[in-house]
Amino acid sequence: MERFPALISLLLLFMATEIVTTSVERENKSSSAGLIWSTAKEEGDLVHKAGHADDSTAAADDVDGGFSSLEGMLQWAIGHSDPAKLKESAQDVQRLSPSELRQRQLEIKELMEKFKMPSDAQLMQIALDDLSNSSLSLEDRHRALQELLILVEPIDNANDMCKLGGLGVIIRELDHPDSDVRKFSAWILGKASQNNPYVQKQVLELGALATLMKLVNSSSADEATKAFYAVSALIRNNVAGQQLFFAEAGDKMLQDILSSTSMDVRLRRKAVFLVGDLAECQLENIDKAEMPFFSNQFFLKSVVDLTASSDLDLQEKALVAIKNLLQLRTTEAMVFKEFCRLDDALERMKKQLEDLMLDEDHREYVTDVESLRKEVELSFQAKLGNVRTVPT
């Protein structure tokens, strides 16, 4: 906030020069020999009008982070100025010659440029230029990536980063020897691709999916989790992305994560959530052939076995995935019953949830999970019933 008094003075001087310059121009066009100058009444009107400006505009500009436009800066300065000082500044400037006025105006405009905040696109370009600098320190590289992580969140900014050629720069960072650089780069790609078909298409065409899938196997849990997040963001609601994912043995990657009890629980949660999401996407695209891995008994068992986890969040996500898988045409009820032992798993989970109900702090959440478990049980019984009613 320390810069505001200086900014006010600067803007007042700028306004004064604008007013005097306008007056000089009007004098040159007038037949009158006298200098035309705004009166105190006019200045008072100016301040009065500023006081009734749109509150939303004033609120947007009255922040210590720049102004959306020169007009906004001027309105803000008027609203924060003393009418007497405004008049005094105008009188001082009036004594300058026309050439001195023009020179002063140029100088003030140059100074005012320094108060302007760069746009998000300009900030992204600065960060991308930094990343393209091979001599950039690791600390500054982290800083540039963290800035981009914030900037790409709005969908328009993510699209702008594509147009700036930023995706290629970020994808190159996936091969950086530093784990944090790779983590932040994957995170940026995931955030930019989230629910954004335009960015998804660009990233997939640049071949980043295979690299991200390799990073999921990283020994760093944070890096692996962010890489998986990016993979999920790229293929969610994107049939072309899903086909590439399966071509890269994505089903095996999912099964390995789900089956490994030593895997970070965050990664397992994301993996089973993606399974449920992929199954739901398949249900929404009934005209598309169902992927073979959905009916793979070992894959299905890896999902059902998650219901025995001690992590309730993981159990809930597993139930959602099972519920969607049961609705697919190619999944077989008897595989769920005889190979996956789904009925036993649901009964075991029921008893576990009954015990958890005793904890008042978690009762509401546990009740929701139990409701979901019952839905899965009904879907399973319905699928079994359909099998039993089929004539032999």
Side-chain angles (χ1 to χ4, degrees):
M1 300 292 290
E2 294 178 357
R3 66 177 183 165
F4 280 1
L7 180 57
I8 291 173
S9 299
L10 182 62
L11 289 170
L12 291 178
L13 189 56
F14 175 79
M15 286 188 293
T17 56
E18 284 289 301
I19 293 170
V20 174
T21 301
T22 302
S23 299
V24 171
E25 292 173 351
R26 288 162 68 183
E27 176 192 16
N28 292 336
K29 295 178 182 179
S30 173
S31 59
S32 172
L35 178 65
I36 298 175
W37 181 241
S38 61
T39 65
K41 180 178 182 296
E42 290 171 330
E43 292 160 6
D45 288 343
L46 183 62
V47 175
H48 178 74
K49 289 176 183 177
H52 289 77
D54 182 10
D55 291 341
S56 62
T57 302
D61 287 334
D62 193 7
V63 292
D64 189 17
F67 300 85
S68 59
S69 65
L70 178 59
E71 181 181 357
M73 295 175 75
L74 292 174
Q75 289 178 352
W76 179 86
I78 293 170
H80 288 74
S81 64
D82 182 346
K85 289 184 178 180
L86 177 60
K87 183 178 180 181
E88 183 182 347
S89 297
Q91 290 173 341
D92 290 339
V93 175
Q94 188 180 6
R95 301 186 183 96
L96 299 175
S97 68
S99 61
E100 289 174 328
L101 278 173
R102 284 191 291 271
Q103 180 61 34
R104 177 64 62 86
Q105 195 175 34
L106 289 174
E107 292 173 355
I108 294 173
K109 283 185 176 180
E110 289 177 2
L111 287 172
M112 288 179 66
E113 286 296 323
K114 296 180 181 180
F115 285 98
K116 290 184 179 180
M117 287 291 291
S119 66
D120 285 357
Q122 290 171 323
L123 290 172
M124 286 190 289
Q125 186 63 69
I126 291 170
L128 292 170
D129 289 343
D130 285 346
L131 293 174
S132 298
N133 181 2
S134 59
S135 61
L136 190 70
S137 69
L138 186 59
E139 181 181 356
D140 286 340
R141 192 167 294 276
H142 288 168
R143 173 195 51 74
L145 288 167
Q146 288 169 349
E147 289 174 358
L148 285 172
L149 184 62
I150 296 170
L151 288 166
V152 299
E153 190 158 358
I155 192 168
D156 290 339
N157 284 4
N159 293 341
D160 285 343
M161 188 179 72
C162 291
K163 296 169 186 175
L164 292 171
L167 290 179
V169 175
I170 301 301
I171 290 171
R172 284 199 299 271
E173 296 298 300
L174 295 175
D175 294 320
H176 196 279
D178 180 70
S179 176
D180 282 339
V181 169
R182 298 193 300 269
K183 176 189 73 175
F184 282 120
S185 300
W187 199 352
I188 291 168
L189 292 174
K191 188 168 285 191
S193 302
Q194 193 81 38
N195 301 316
N196 190 333
Y198 175 74
V199 176
Q200 287 175 334
K201 183 175 184 293
Q202 302 282 330
V203 176
L204 291 171
E205 288 178 350
L206 289 170
L209 182 61
T211 304
L212 288 166
M213 290 176 67
K214 290 177 183 176
L215 295 183
V216 172
N217 297 318
S218 171
S219 58
S220 165
D222 285 344
E223 180 183 348
T225 302
K226 296 308 180 190
F228 193 94
Y229 163 71
V231 171
S232 299
L234 277 174
I235 68 175
R236 184 165 287 125
N237 298 319
N238 189 311
V239 175
Q242 291 168 20
Q243 291 173 343
L244 283 174
F245 176 72
F246 297 130
E248 294 287 343
D251 52 335
K252 184 179 184 305
M253 182 189 80
L254 286 173
Q255 186 175 334
D256 289 344
I257 294 172
L258 298 176
S259 302
S260 176
T261 56
S262 62
M263 196 73 70
D264 188 282
V265 69
R266 294 173 299 168
L267 194 57
R268 301 182 83 197
R269 288 174 189 157
K270 289 183 181 296
V272 74
F273 182 84
L274 180 60
V275 171
D277 193 75
L278 292 173
E280 184 177 7
C281 183
Q282 186 76 70
L283 291 169
E284 292 172 352
N285 294 274
I286 56 176
D287 56 321
K288 303 288 184 182
E290 293 183 1
M291 295 295 173
F293 88 96
F294 281 131
S295 56
N296 182 300
Q297 60 182 5
F298 294 101
F299 179 83
L300 294 175
K301 189 174 188 304
S302 69
V303 177
V304 172
D305 286 348
L306 293 179
T307 59
S309 171
S310 59
D311 185 88
L312 193 57
D313 188 17
L314 182 58
Q315 288 179 303
E316 181 186 24
K317 288 177 169 58
L319 286 173
V320 172
I322 294 168
K323 180 182 174 182
N324 291 340
L325 290 167
L326 283 168
Q327 297 178 63
L328 296 176
R329 298 188 305 270
T330 55
T331 55
E332 298 179 17
M334 296 312 294
V335 170
F336 277 108
K337 180 176 176 61
E338 297 178 355
F339 189 79
C340 301
R341 309 290 297 182
L342 179 57
D343 47 357
D344 292 340
L346 291 173
E347 186 62 28
R348 181 176 58 249
M349 190 174 182
K350 178 183 179 181
K351 294 178 181 178
Q352 179 192 5
L353 292 173
E354 287 174 350
D355 292 338
L356 291 173
M357 288 278 192
L358 300 176
D359 186 348
E360 189 173 344
D361 293 337
H362 300 94
R363 186 173 299 161
E364 185 176 355
Y365 179 42
V366 174
T367 301
D368 291 340
V369 176
E370 170 58 16
S371 296
L372 178 59
R373 188 202 67 81
K374 288 179 179 177
E375 287 184 47
V376 172
E377 192 169 45
L378 289 173
S379 295
F380 178 43
Q381 294 302 325
K383 199 173 183 76
L384 280 174
N386 289 337
V387 170
R388 290 166 181 161
T389 57
V390 174
T392 58

